[in-house]
Amino acid sequence: AGSNESDSVETDNSVSLPSAEEDGWPIIEKSAVDLRDELIELKGATSSDIQCYADRISELIRRSGAGRGVSGVTDIGSILAYGSTIAGCNTAPVSRQGPMPLSDLLIQQLTKRCVDGSTSAVRAEAYIRSFVLPVVAQLGCDSVNNKKKVAVASSRMLTSTITSLTKERPLESVEALFIPLLCCRDTGT
């Protein structure tokens, strides 16, 4: 007697994919943009701060990946590293200013949380391409203007992270990290 339309449940045998609003993408995307801005402004972060940020990013990756699959992982990486999604289909206002907000320590902590033996090959490759590759490609570039400068060696932490990924996920590391680095080497990107 006192039911309203929101209480009723309709059964529909057709399968429909969730819209961007239903899968929560605009909220996830806005969170990623805000997190990127926080990371750019971050100065003197402690190890505890970095772990907190790694937890927040891994949660964004999990939520986005659950709703959008591999493209969700890629989109979060693109927003955090570059300020927009690769496909250019973002809806949130994006700040494209500032240096690369992903650091060696953050990548190390994030890799521990996001890539393990149970991670699918496709998702691991998307993670490596979207999070590790931008940090490695940034070596030897001016972080603000993204112009070539004197080559800089990677930190021991980044080297250790790449070595671990290569041991655990050799094929994904080659396809998502080493081949793109070799192909882009002469173009300056």
PDB file of all heavy atoms in Angstrom, residues 17-33 59-69 72 75-76 79 89 91-92:
ATOM      1  N   LEU A  17      25.244  -2.737 -20.377  1.00  0.00           N
ATOM      2  CA  LEU A  17      26.445  -2.258 -19.722  1.00  0.00           C
ATOM      3  C   LEU A  17      26.121  -0.977 -18.970  1.00  0.00           C
ATOM      4  O   LEU A  17      25.309  -0.179 -19.422  1.00  0.00           O
ATOM      5  CB  LEU A  17      27.539  -1.995 -20.748  1.00  0.00           C
ATOM      6  CG  LEU A  17      28.020  -3.223 -21.508  1.00  0.00           C
ATOM      7  CD1 LEU A  17      29.003  -2.823 -22.598  1.00  0.00           C
ATOM      8  CD2 LEU A  17      28.660  -4.222 -20.571  1.00  0.00           C
ATOM      9  N   PRO A  18      26.766  -0.765 -17.834  1.00  0.00           N
ATOM     10  CA  PRO A  18      26.493   0.456 -17.076  1.00  0.00           C
ATOM     11  C   PRO A  18      27.000   1.686 -17.811  1.00  0.00           C
ATOM     12  O   PRO A  18      28.005   1.636 -18.501  1.00  0.00           O
ATOM     13  CB  PRO A  18      27.260   0.248 -15.770  1.00  0.00           C
ATOM     14  CG  PRO A  18      28.298  -0.754 -16.085  1.00  0.00           C
ATOM     15  CD  PRO A  18      27.749  -1.605 -17.190  1.00  0.00           C
ATOM     16  N   SER A  19      26.265   2.761 -17.658  1.00  0.00           N
ATOM     17  CA  SER A  19      26.729   4.023 -18.235  1.00  0.00           C
ATOM     18  C   SER A  19      27.857   4.559 -17.368  1.00  0.00           C
ATOM     19  O   SER A  19      28.139   4.032 -16.295  1.00  0.00           O
ATOM     20  CB  SER A  19      25.578   5.038 -18.276  1.00  0.00           C
ATOM     21  OG  SER A  19      25.243   5.427 -16.963  1.00  0.00           O
ATOM     22  N   ALA A  20      28.493   5.623 -17.819  1.00  0.00           N
ATOM     23  CA  ALA A  20      29.591   6.216 -17.053  1.00  0.00           C
ATOM     24  C   ALA A  20      29.128   6.613 -15.655  1.00  0.00           C
ATOM     25  O   ALA A  20      29.852   6.455 -14.684  1.00  0.00           O
ATOM     26  CB  ALA A  20      30.152   7.427 -17.794  1.00  0.00           C
ATOM     27  N   GLU A  21      27.906   7.122 -15.547  1.00  0.00           N
ATOM     28  CA  GLU A  21      27.397   7.535 -14.248  1.00  0.00           C
ATOM     29  C   GLU A  21      27.120   6.328 -13.365  1.00  0.00           C
ATOM     30  O   GLU A  21      27.341   6.366 -12.169  1.00  0.00           O
ATOM     31  CB  GLU A  21      26.119   8.379 -14.398  1.00  0.00           C
ATOM     32  CG  GLU A  21      26.350   9.763 -14.965  1.00  0.00           C
ATOM     33  CD  GLU A  21      26.615   9.776 -16.464  1.00  0.00           C
ATOM     34  OE1 GLU A  21      26.222   8.830 -17.172  1.00  0.00           O
ATOM     35  OE2 GLU A  21      27.250  10.735 -16.943  1.00  0.00           O
ATOM     36  N   GLU A  22      26.611   5.222 -13.950  1.00  0.00           N
ATOM     37  CA  GLU A  22      26.291   4.043 -13.172  1.00  0.00           C
ATOM     38  C   GLU A  22      27.539   3.341 -12.651  1.00  0.00           C
ATOM     39  O   GLU A  22      27.529   2.779 -11.581  1.00  0.00           O
ATOM     40  CB  GLU A  22      25.451   3.071 -13.998  1.00  0.00           C
ATOM     41  CG  GLU A  22      24.045   3.571 -14.258  1.00  0.00           C
ATOM     42  CD  GLU A  22      23.301   2.702 -15.255  1.00  0.00           C
ATOM     43  OE1 GLU A  22      23.919   1.832 -15.891  1.00  0.00           O
ATOM     44  OE2 GLU A  22      22.097   2.901 -15.397  1.00  0.00           O
ATOM     45  N   ASP A  23      28.614   3.341 -13.432  1.00  0.00           N
ATOM     46  CA  ASP A  23      29.821   2.663 -12.955  1.00  0.00           C
ATOM     47  C   ASP A  23      30.666   3.575 -12.067  1.00  0.00           C
ATOM     48  O   ASP A  23      31.713   3.179 -11.587  1.00  0.00           O
ATOM     49  CB  ASP A  23      30.640   2.066 -14.102  1.00  0.00           C
ATOM     50  CG  ASP A  23      31.424   3.086 -14.925  1.00  0.00           C
ATOM     51  OD1 ASP A  23      31.380   4.291 -14.625  1.00  0.00           O
ATOM     52  OD2 ASP A  23      32.090   2.660 -15.881  1.00  0.00           O
ATOM     53  N   GLY A  24      30.206   4.795 -11.835  1.00  0.00           N
ATOM     54  CA  GLY A  24      30.886   5.710 -10.929  1.00  0.00           C
ATOM     55  C   GLY A  24      32.101   6.400 -11.519  1.00  0.00           C
ATOM     56  O   GLY A  24      32.863   7.022 -10.790  1.00  0.00           O
ATOM     57  N   TRP A  25      32.291   6.306 -12.843  1.00  0.00           N
ATOM     58  CA  TRP A  25      33.491   6.868 -13.449  1.00  0.00           C
ATOM     59  C   TRP A  25      33.665   8.361 -13.187  1.00  0.00           C
ATOM     60  O   TRP A  25      34.773   8.779 -12.830  1.00  0.00           O
ATOM     61  CB  TRP A  25      33.557   6.569 -14.941  1.00  0.00           C
ATOM     62  CG  TRP A  25      34.717   7.254 -15.578  1.00  0.00           C
ATOM     63  CD1 TRP A  25      34.665   8.243 -16.507  1.00  0.00           C
ATOM     64  CD2 TRP A  25      36.113   7.054 -15.309  1.00  0.00           C
ATOM     65  NE1 TRP A  25      35.925   8.665 -16.830  1.00  0.00           N
ATOM     66  CE2 TRP A  25      36.834   7.951 -16.104  1.00  0.00           C
ATOM     67  CE3 TRP A  25      36.810   6.218 -14.453  1.00  0.00           C
ATOM     68  CZ2 TRP A  25      38.226   8.030 -16.083  1.00  0.00           C
ATOM     69  CZ3 TRP A  25      38.193   6.292 -14.434  1.00  0.00           C
ATOM     70  CH2 TRP A  25      38.886   7.192 -15.250  1.00  0.00           C
ATOM     71  N   PRO A  26      32.652   9.199 -13.326  1.00  0.00           N
ATOM     72  CA  PRO A  26      32.887  10.633 -13.062  1.00  0.00           C
ATOM     73  C   PRO A  26      33.412  10.905 -11.649  1.00  0.00           C
ATOM     74  O   PRO A  26      34.279  11.751 -11.464  1.00  0.00           O
ATOM     75  CB  PRO A  26      31.512  11.273 -13.269  1.00  0.00           C
ATOM     76  CG  PRO A  26      30.821  10.353 -14.223  1.00  0.00           C
ATOM     77  CD  PRO A  26      31.287   8.971 -13.838  1.00  0.00           C
ATOM     78  N   ILE A  27      32.945  10.160 -10.664  1.00  0.00           N
ATOM     79  CA  ILE A  27      33.410  10.338  -9.294  1.00  0.00           C
ATOM     80  C   ILE A  27      34.842   9.835  -9.157  1.00  0.00           C
ATOM     81  O   ILE A  27      35.692  10.495  -8.542  1.00  0.00           O
ATOM     82  CB  ILE A  27      32.474   9.599  -8.308  1.00  0.00           C
ATOM     83  CG1 ILE A  27      31.091  10.261  -8.320  1.00  0.00           C
ATOM     84  CG2 ILE A  27      33.055   9.583  -6.901  1.00  0.00           C
ATOM     85  CD1 ILE A  27      30.013   9.457  -7.650  1.00  0.00           C
ATOM     86  N   ILE A  28      35.124   8.673  -9.741  1.00  0.00           N
ATOM     87  CA  ILE A  28      36.476   8.110  -9.698  1.00  0.00           C
ATOM     88  C   ILE A  28      37.449   9.039 -10.411  1.00  0.00           C
ATOM     89  O   ILE A  28      38.546   9.322  -9.925  1.00  0.00           O
ATOM     90  CB  ILE A  28      36.497   6.701 -10.324  1.00  0.00           C
ATOM     91  CG1 ILE A  28      35.665   5.735  -9.479  1.00  0.00           C
ATOM     92  CG2 ILE A  28      37.921   6.195 -10.493  1.00  0.00           C
ATOM     93  CD1 ILE A  28      35.395   4.402 -10.152  1.00  0.00           C
ATOM     94  N   GLU A  29      37.038   9.539 -11.568  1.00  0.00           N
ATOM     95  CA  GLU A  29      37.892  10.436 -12.350  1.00  0.00           C
ATOM     96  C   GLU A  29      38.181  11.724 -11.584  1.00  0.00           C
ATOM     97  O   GLU A  29      39.328  12.184 -11.530  1.00  0.00           O
ATOM     98  CB  GLU A  29      37.218  10.753 -13.685  1.00  0.00           C
ATOM     99  CG  GLU A  29      38.050  11.643 -14.569  1.00  0.00           C
ATOM    100  CD  GLU A  29      37.340  11.983 -15.859  1.00  0.00           C
ATOM    101  OE1 GLU A  29      36.097  12.115 -15.847  1.00  0.00           O
ATOM    102  OE2 GLU A  29      38.025  12.118 -16.863  1.00  0.00           O
ATOM    103  N   LYS A  30      37.172  12.293 -10.957  1.00  0.00           N
ATOM    104  CA  LYS A  30      37.349  13.514 -10.163  1.00  0.00           C
ATOM    105  C   LYS A  30      38.304  13.243  -8.997  1.00  0.00           C
ATOM    106  O   LYS A  30      39.173  14.068  -8.689  1.00  0.00           O
ATOM    107  CB  LYS A  30      35.990  14.009  -9.651  1.00  0.00           C
ATOM    108  CG  LYS A  30      36.053  15.202  -8.727  1.00  0.00           C
ATOM    109  CD  LYS A  30      36.259  16.488  -9.461  1.00  0.00           C
ATOM    110  CE  LYS A  30      36.068  17.692  -8.587  1.00  0.00           C
ATOM    111  NZ  LYS A  30      37.261  18.157  -7.911  1.00  0.00           N
ATOM    112  N   SER A  31      38.162  12.078  -8.366  1.00  0.00           N
ATOM    113  CA  SER A  31      39.070  11.709  -7.275  1.00  0.00           C
ATOM    114  C   SER A  31      40.503  11.609  -7.775  1.00  0.00           C
ATOM    115  O   SER A  31      41.440  12.040  -7.091  1.00  0.00           O
ATOM    116  CB  SER A  31      38.650  10.371  -6.659  1.00  0.00           C
ATOM    117  OG  SER A  31      37.390  10.472  -6.072  1.00  0.00           O
ATOM    118  N   ALA A  32      40.701  11.037  -8.965  1.00  0.00           N
ATOM    119  CA  ALA A  32      42.045  10.905  -9.535  1.00  0.00           C
ATOM    120  C   ALA A  32      42.639  12.274  -9.858  1.00  0.00           C
ATOM    121  O   ALA A  32      43.818  12.525  -9.602  1.00  0.00           O
ATOM    122  CB  ALA A  32      42.018  10.026 -10.781  1.00  0.00           C
ATOM    123  N   VAL A  33      41.836  13.167 -10.399  1.00  0.00           N
ATOM    124  CA  VAL A  33      42.308  14.518 -10.710  1.00  0.00           C
ATOM    125  C   VAL A  33      42.698  15.253  -9.427  1.00  0.00           C
ATOM    126  O   VAL A  33      43.757  15.880  -9.358  1.00  0.00           O
ATOM    127  CB  VAL A  33      41.233  15.313 -11.498  1.00  0.00           C
ATOM    128  CG1 VAL A  33      41.591  16.787 -11.597  1.00  0.00           C
ATOM    129  CG2 VAL A  33      41.037  14.712 -12.882  1.00  0.00           C
ATOM    130  N   GLU A  59      43.261   1.831  -4.504  1.00  0.00           N
ATOM    131  CA  GLU A  59      41.805   1.754  -4.390  1.00  0.00           C
ATOM    132  C   GLU A  59      41.128   2.351  -5.629  1.00  0.00           C
ATOM    133  O   GLU A  59      40.149   1.803  -6.134  1.00  0.00           O
ATOM    134  CB  GLU A  59      41.333   2.464  -3.112  1.00  0.00           C
ATOM    135  CG  GLU A  59      39.836   2.475  -2.924  1.00  0.00           C
ATOM    136  CD  GLU A  59      39.202   1.095  -2.787  1.00  0.00           C
ATOM    137  OE1 GLU A  59      39.912   0.116  -2.493  1.00  0.00           O
ATOM    138  OE2 GLU A  59      37.978   0.999  -2.994  1.00  0.00           O
ATOM    139  N   LEU A  60      41.661   3.471  -6.123  1.00  0.00           N
ATOM    140  CA  LEU A  60      41.120   4.042  -7.368  1.00  0.00           C
ATOM    141  C   LEU A  60      41.287   3.066  -8.531  1.00  0.00           C
ATOM    142  O   LEU A  60      40.375   2.900  -9.347  1.00  0.00           O
ATOM    143  CB  LEU A  60      41.819   5.361  -7.709  1.00  0.00           C
ATOM    144  CG  LEU A  60      41.373   6.604  -6.971  1.00  0.00           C
ATOM    145  CD1 LEU A  60      42.260   7.791  -7.353  1.00  0.00           C
ATOM    146  CD2 LEU A  60      39.919   6.910  -7.264  1.00  0.00           C
ATOM    147  N   ILE A  61      42.443   2.439  -8.614  1.00  0.00           N
ATOM    148  CA  ILE A  61      42.692   1.459  -9.679  1.00  0.00           C
ATOM    149  C   ILE A  61      41.714   0.297  -9.551  1.00  0.00           C
ATOM    150  O   ILE A  61      41.136  -0.159 -10.541  1.00  0.00           O
ATOM    151  CB  ILE A  61      44.150   0.951  -9.630  1.00  0.00           C
ATOM    152  CG1 ILE A  61      45.115   2.071  -9.997  1.00  0.00           C
ATOM    153  CG2 ILE A  61      44.350  -0.249 -10.552  1.00  0.00           C
ATOM    154  CD1 ILE A  61      46.574   1.742  -9.739  1.00  0.00           C
ATOM    155  N   ARG A  62      41.526  -0.183  -8.337  1.00  0.00           N
ATOM    156  CA  ARG A  62      40.605  -1.302  -8.118  1.00  0.00           C
ATOM    157  C   ARG A  62      39.183  -0.930  -8.522  1.00  0.00           C
ATOM    158  O   ARG A  62      38.522  -1.657  -9.249  1.00  0.00           O
ATOM    159  CB  ARG A  62      40.639  -1.734  -6.650  1.00  0.00           C
ATOM    160  CG  ARG A  62      39.820  -3.004  -6.374  1.00  0.00           C
ATOM    161  CD  ARG A  62      39.546  -3.209  -4.893  1.00  0.00           C
ATOM    162  NE  ARG A  62      38.754  -2.155  -4.290  1.00  0.00           N
ATOM    163  CZ  ARG A  62      37.437  -1.977  -4.474  1.00  0.00           C
ATOM    164  NH1 ARG A  62      36.770  -2.765  -5.282  1.00  0.00           N
ATOM    165  NH2 ARG A  62      36.791  -1.004  -3.868  1.00  0.00           N
ATOM    166  N   ARG A  63      38.718   0.228  -8.069  1.00  0.00           N
ATOM    167  CA  ARG A  63      37.350   0.661  -8.388  1.00  0.00           C
ATOM    168  C   ARG A  63      37.169   0.901  -9.873  1.00  0.00           C
ATOM    169  O   ARG A  63      36.178   0.487 -10.467  1.00  0.00           O
ATOM    170  CB  ARG A  63      37.004   1.923  -7.597  1.00  0.00           C
ATOM    171  CG  ARG A  63      36.784   1.661  -6.129  1.00  0.00           C
ATOM    172  CD  ARG A  63      36.558   2.904  -5.300  1.00  0.00           C
ATOM    173  NE  ARG A  63      35.610   3.822  -5.878  1.00  0.00           N
ATOM    174  CZ  ARG A  63      35.661   5.152  -5.706  1.00  0.00           C
ATOM    175  NH1 ARG A  63      36.622   5.683  -4.963  1.00  0.00           N
ATOM    176  NH2 ARG A  63      34.761   5.927  -6.248  1.00  0.00           N
ATOM    177  N   SER A  64      38.125   1.570 -10.476  1.00  0.00           N
ATOM    178  CA  SER A  64      38.036   1.863 -11.898  1.00  0.00           C
ATOM    179  C   SER A  64      38.165   0.583 -12.723  1.00  0.00           C
ATOM    180  O   SER A  64      37.446   0.397 -13.706  1.00  0.00           O
ATOM    181  CB  SER A  64      39.129   2.857 -12.305  1.00  0.00           C
ATOM    182  OG  SER A  64      39.031   3.178 -13.655  1.00  0.00           O
ATOM    183  N   GLY A  65      39.067  -0.299 -12.317  1.00  0.00           N
ATOM    184  CA  GLY A  65      39.243  -1.563 -13.016  1.00  0.00           C
ATOM    185  C   GLY A  65      38.025  -2.458 -12.905  1.00  0.00           C
ATOM    186  O   GLY A  65      37.684  -3.184 -13.842  1.00  0.00           O
ATOM    187  N   ALA A  66      37.344  -2.419 -11.762  1.00  0.00           N
ATOM    188  CA  ALA A  66      36.141  -3.234 -11.578  1.00  0.00           C
ATOM    189  C   ALA A  66      35.030  -2.787 -12.527  1.00  0.00           C
ATOM    190  O   ALA A  66      34.295  -3.612 -13.065  1.00  0.00           O
ATOM    191  CB  ALA A  66      35.666  -3.159 -10.132  1.00  0.00           C
ATOM    192  N   GLY A  67      34.925  -1.496 -12.731  1.00  0.00           N
ATOM    193  CA  GLY A  67      33.859  -0.975 -13.588  1.00  0.00           C
ATOM    194  C   GLY A  67      34.221  -0.899 -15.063  1.00  0.00           C
ATOM    195  O   GLY A  67      33.361  -1.056 -15.924  1.00  0.00           O
ATOM    196  N   ARG A  68      35.499  -0.707 -15.380  1.00  0.00           N
ATOM    197  CA  ARG A  68      35.899  -0.448 -16.762  1.00  0.00           C
ATOM    198  C   ARG A  68      36.971  -1.407 -17.289  1.00  0.00           C
ATOM    199  O   ARG A  68      37.441  -1.248 -18.398  1.00  0.00           O
ATOM    200  CB  ARG A  68      36.400   0.979 -16.872  1.00  0.00           C
ATOM    201  CG  ARG A  68      35.355   2.002 -16.488  1.00  0.00           C
ATOM    202  CD  ARG A  68      35.945   3.379 -16.330  1.00  0.00           C
ATOM    203  NE  ARG A  68      36.496   3.862 -17.564  1.00  0.00           N
ATOM    204  CZ  ARG A  68      35.985   4.808 -18.327  1.00  0.00           C
ATOM    205  NH1 ARG A  68      34.872   5.380 -17.962  1.00  0.00           N
ATOM    206  NH2 ARG A  68      36.576   5.198 -19.420  1.00  0.00           N
ATOM    207  N   GLY A  69      37.397  -2.339 -16.451  1.00  0.00           N
ATOM    208  CA  GLY A  69      38.408  -3.300 -16.881  1.00  0.00           C
ATOM    209  C   GLY A  69      39.767  -2.648 -17.047  1.00  0.00           C
ATOM    210  O   GLY A  69      40.130  -1.719 -16.333  1.00  0.00           O
ATOM    211  N   GLY A  72      40.087   1.072 -17.374  1.00  0.00           N
ATOM    212  CA  GLY A  72      40.002   1.804 -16.117  1.00  0.00           C
ATOM    213  C   GLY A  72      41.372   1.988 -15.480  1.00  0.00           C
ATOM    214  O   GLY A  72      41.700   3.060 -14.982  1.00  0.00           O
ATOM    215  N   ASP A  75      43.240   4.511 -17.662  1.00  0.00           N
ATOM    216  CA  ASP A  75      42.734   5.876 -17.487  1.00  0.00           C
ATOM    217  C   ASP A  75      43.220   6.505 -16.182  1.00  0.00           C
ATOM    218  O   ASP A  75      43.600   7.676 -16.156  1.00  0.00           O
ATOM    219  CB  ASP A  75      41.204   5.896 -17.538  1.00  0.00           C
ATOM    220  CG  ASP A  75      40.663   5.651 -18.929  1.00  0.00           C
ATOM    221  OD1 ASP A  75      41.430   5.749 -19.907  1.00  0.00           O
ATOM    222  OD2 ASP A  75      39.452   5.343 -19.050  1.00  0.00           O
ATOM    223  N   ILE A  76      43.233   5.742 -15.095  1.00  0.00           N
ATOM    224  CA  ILE A  76      43.726   6.277 -13.822  1.00  0.00           C
ATOM    225  C   ILE A  76      45.209   6.629 -13.952  1.00  0.00           C
ATOM    226  O   ILE A  76      45.653   7.694 -13.512  1.00  0.00           O
ATOM    227  CB  ILE A  76      43.495   5.283 -12.662  1.00  0.00           C
ATOM    228  CG1 ILE A  76      41.999   5.090 -12.400  1.00  0.00           C
ATOM    229  CG2 ILE A  76      44.217   5.731 -11.394  1.00  0.00           C
ATOM    230  CD1 ILE A  76      41.257   6.351 -11.972  1.00  0.00           C
ATOM    231  N   ILE A  79      45.578   9.852 -16.010  1.00  0.00           N
ATOM    232  CA  ILE A  79      45.196  11.052 -15.263  1.00  0.00           C
ATOM    233  C   ILE A  79      46.294  11.420 -14.266  1.00  0.00           C
ATOM    234  O   ILE A  79      46.700  12.580 -14.183  1.00  0.00           O
ATOM    235  CB  ILE A  79      43.850  10.844 -14.536  1.00  0.00           C
ATOM    236  CG1 ILE A  79      42.710  10.787 -15.553  1.00  0.00           C
ATOM    237  CG2 ILE A  79      43.607  11.956 -13.515  1.00  0.00           C
ATOM    238  CD1 ILE A  79      41.388  10.334 -14.972  1.00  0.00           C
ATOM    239  N   CYS A  89      38.663  11.185 -23.155  1.00  0.00           N
ATOM    240  CA  CYS A  89      37.229  11.121 -22.881  1.00  0.00           C
ATOM    241  C   CYS A  89      36.903  11.495 -21.443  1.00  0.00           C
ATOM    242  O   CYS A  89      35.866  11.135 -20.938  1.00  0.00           O
ATOM    243  CB  CYS A  89      36.704   9.719 -23.195  1.00  0.00           C
ATOM    244  SG  CYS A  89      37.463   8.440 -22.194  1.00  0.00           S
ATOM    245  N   THR A  91      35.808  13.681 -18.189  1.00  0.00           N
ATOM    246  CA  THR A  91      34.756  14.670 -17.996  1.00  0.00           C
ATOM    247  C   THR A  91      35.100  15.678 -16.917  1.00  0.00           C
ATOM    248  O   THR A  91      34.491  16.714 -16.844  1.00  0.00           O
ATOM    249  CB  THR A  91      33.436  13.973 -17.620  1.00  0.00           C
ATOM    250  OG1 THR A  91      33.668  13.157 -16.473  1.00  0.00           O
ATOM    251  CG2 THR A  91      32.927  13.116 -18.769  1.00  0.00           C
ATOM    252  N   ALA A  92      36.065  15.362 -16.064  1.00  0.00           N
ATOM    253  CA  ALA A  92      36.428  16.275 -14.981  1.00  0.00           C
ATOM    254  C   ALA A  92      37.414  17.317 -15.484  1.00  0.00           C
ATOM    255  O   ALA A  92      38.185  17.056 -16.397  1.00  0.00           O
ATOM    256  CB  ALA A  92      37.061  15.496 -13.830  1.00  0.00           C
TER     257      ALA A  92
END
